[in-house]
Amino acid sequence: MIKISKGVYKYDPSKAYKRELEDFTVAQKEAILKRDGYKCVICGRGKKDGVELHIDHIKPKDFGGEATIENGQTLCAQHNFIKKNLKQTETGKKMFIRLYELAKSEKNEELIKFCADVLETYEKHDINGHIVWEK
Ligand SMILES: [Zn+2]
């Protein structure tokens, strides 16, 4: 419930269902897998290579990323783990460059800014400086 004014409350379903919106449904997962050809978008490995596939939020949930097909990508267990736990790695930087390019092509200003912030952190601390980020 949202308090509008003294004694006046409004029910906001968008808030009530926010938690659920953050997780992909079975149907969304299937659609994302199908779109990505049942392969990890980073290394191209799939079930036939014996890897487990996960559906990842391109824009992380912590940054307000929602469970939409557009915000989903197929990652193998390894790359999913790297993205979640080892942000300051070569793969991490490459992944954020890829995401930045995607955001630019979609003209998603919010996501561009998010990626730029992350990539600027890499540059500021000269982490994996050999990987060139073309702004
Ligand atoms: Zn992979």
Side-chain angles (χ1 to χ4, degrees):
M1 301 294 270
I2 299 162
K3 195 176 176 188
I4 306 287
S5 62
K6 197 170 182 277
V8 181
Y9 292 88
K10 187 173 159 267
Y11 175 68
D12 185 350
S14 71
K15 287 229 165 36
Y17 292 110
K18 195 173 183 300
R19 191 72 237 164
E20 288 166 42
L21 280 173
E22 288 172 356
D23 292 314
F24 297 110
T25 64
V26 173
Q28 281 177 315
K29 285 183 182 179
E30 188 55 36
I32 293 161
L33 282 166
K34 200 172 174 187
R35 185 200 61 203
D36 294 338
Y38 298 88
K39 286 188 302 236
C40 170
V41 297
I42 303 292
C43 65
R45 290 182 303 166
K47 281 213 174 83
K48 64 171 168 41
D49 306 294
V51 300
E52 195 187 329
L53 295 172
H54 294 261
I55 305 302
D56 173 60
H57 288 69
I58 296 176
K59 183 176 160 188
K61 287 198 270 189
D62 294 350
F63 290 89
E66 289 185 351
T68 57
I69 291 167
E70 296 71 38
N71 193 42
Q73 67 180 352
T74 307
L75 291 180
C76 66
Q78 186 193 354
H79 282 116
N80 191 40
F81 180 82
I82 289 169
K83 186 177 175 193
K84 282 196 168 55
N85 300 287
L86 306 164
K87 289 202 173 93
Q88 293 180 352
T89 61
E90 282 194 21
T91 309
K93 189 171 182 184
K94 281 180 191 164
M95 212 162 339
F96 278 108
I97 290 171
R98 185 180 172 277
L99 181 54
Y100 178 80
E101 294 301 324
L102 181 82
K104 271 207 302 190
S105 71
E106 290 176 349
K107 297 188 170 50
N108 182 337
E109 295 298 331
E110 199 190 345
L111 191 55
I112 290 169
K113 194 183 169 302
F114 164 66
C115 293
D117 283 348
V118 174
L119 288 164
E120 271 159 20
T121 307
Y122 275 96
E123 310 245 303
K124 200 162 83 187
H125 299 286
D126 197 27
I127 301 158
N128 298 309
H130 61 287
I131 300 167
V132 182
W133 170 38
E134 291 177 41
K135 293 175 204 184

